[in-house]
Amino acid sequence: MEQRKAVVLLSGGLDSSTLLALARHDGFDCYCLTFAYGQRHAVEMEAARTVAARLGATAHRIVDIDLRVFGGSALTDTIPVPKDRDVKEMQSIPVTYVPARNTIFLAYALAWAEVLRSRAIFIGVNAVDYSGYPDCRPEFIAAFQQLANYATKAAVEGAGPTIHAPLIHMSKVEIIRRGLELRVDYSITHSCYDPKGDLACGHCDSCILRRQGFADAGVPDPTRYYRAPVRGSSSRGRHPK
């Protein structure tokens, strides 16, 4: 039986690494796609390379699309990354939102899927424990699926790809626990928006959500922090040695 092909959007972070493990577990031959879009946390691309190799991706491509030409985000512009926000405040859309990023990423994935004759695209968006980004919601995925159904030769001929977002309704705790079941080594992943070299800052929204997830899951947080957080039991990170 021929292995099923899937295009997997891989950032090198906790969610997308779990996503790749899930796709592999479901029997897909995974073609991973990572973007160098001018993000300040470019260290995640090295993490993506490591994760793709460790989890058995068939292919891994890093695509250059410099979104700094537009700016408008703390990840692609000179805007400071928010630190130490309360998790309850994270329902408002923060300045770390990159305008139309997932739309752009999925468009590239759609193109590669058509070339590969792949019937599946995996994206690790999450609408439970997230920073309030509009392109992480089920409505966005459904709308892009409809677009894909009209936009490609493969779909018009009845063989277009399905957009899979298996993490979309999972909490960070559930994602971590599922990843550990699939033997994901989270120490090789990177989630921080404002790292110091390869060390996580420990204070941006992404670090806070990641740290809280490990604490709530009752498992050690393997993240290497530049500056150990001090607020609450979930804020205990490791000082760099």
Side-chain angles (χ1 to χ4, degrees):
M1 180 178 176
E2 184 180 356
Q3 189 98 346
R4 295 178 297 165
K5 295 179 180 179
V7 174
V8 179
L9 293 175
L10 179 68
S11 71
L14 185 153
D15 291 350
S16 71
S17 298
T18 308
L19 179 77
L20 174 56
L22 283 169
R24 292 284 293 132
H25 178 74
D26 289 345
F28 284 96
D29 190 2
C30 295
Y31 293 74
C32 294
L33 196 55
T34 300
F35 294 92
Y37 61 91
Q39 64 270 50
R40 68 168 67 210
H41 54 310
V43 65
E44 71 177 4
M45 286 179 284
E46 292 304 318
R49 287 190 181 96
T50 302
V51 169
R54 190 79 62 87
L55 295 182
T58 300
H60 180 215
R61 294 190 181 182
I62 296 179
V63 179
D64 284 305
I65 48 167
D66 196 346
L67 297 182
R68 289 176 299 182
V69 297
F70 303 124
S73 166
L75 303 189
T76 57
D77 212 328
T78 57
I79 303 167
V81 173
K83 300 291 178 68
D84 297 316
R85 289 208 305 157
D86 191 293
V87 173
K88 295 177 182 179
E89 298 174 358
M90 293 184 189
Q91 298 308 309
S92 59
I93 301 173
V95 295
T96 50
Y97 164 68
V98 180
R101 181 177 61 179
N102 284 342
T103 304
I104 295 166
F105 289 0
L106 279 172
Y108 274 78
L110 186 61
W112 200 17
E114 188 159 29
V115 172
L116 293 170
R117 297 184 180 179
S118 165
R119 298 291 298 274
I121 294 172
F122 281 78
I123 181 171
V125 293
N126 178 266
V128 180
D129 291 332
Y130 77 124
S131 295
Y133 301 150
D135 53 359
C136 288
R137 298 172 301 154
E139 296 89 340
F140 167 73
I141 297 300
F144 197 94
Q145 181 66 69
Q146 186 173 14
L147 179 151
N149 293 341
Y150 289 106
T152 63
K153 176 178 181 288
V156 170
E157 293 179 350
T162 297
I163 312 297
H164 296 266
L167 310 183
I168 201 161
H169 295 299
M170 295 173 68
S171 69
K172 194 67 71 179
V173 172
E174 291 170 328
I175 293 169
I176 289 170
R177 287 177 176 165
R178 184 63 179 129
L180 292 174
E181 289 173 357
L182 297 173
R183 299 181 182 276
V184 175
D185 179 0
Y186 287 118
S187 72
I188 65 173
T189 67
H190 180 88
S191 303
C192 180
Y193 289 152
D194 193 25
K196 307 298 182 183
D198 62 351
L199 302 177
C201 75
H203 296 265
C204 67
D205 289 0
S206 185
C207 280
I208 290 170
L209 290 170
R210 176 181 171 119
R211 190 176 68 248
Q212 187 70 54
F214 281 110
D216 291 347
V219 297
D221 180 357
T223 309
R224 296 169 57 241
Y225 292 108
Y226 172 77
R227 184 162 55 96
V230 295
R231 294 192 315 164
S233 61
S234 66
S235 298
R236 297 192 185 115
R238 298 187 298 179
H239 286 286
K241 297 180 180 179

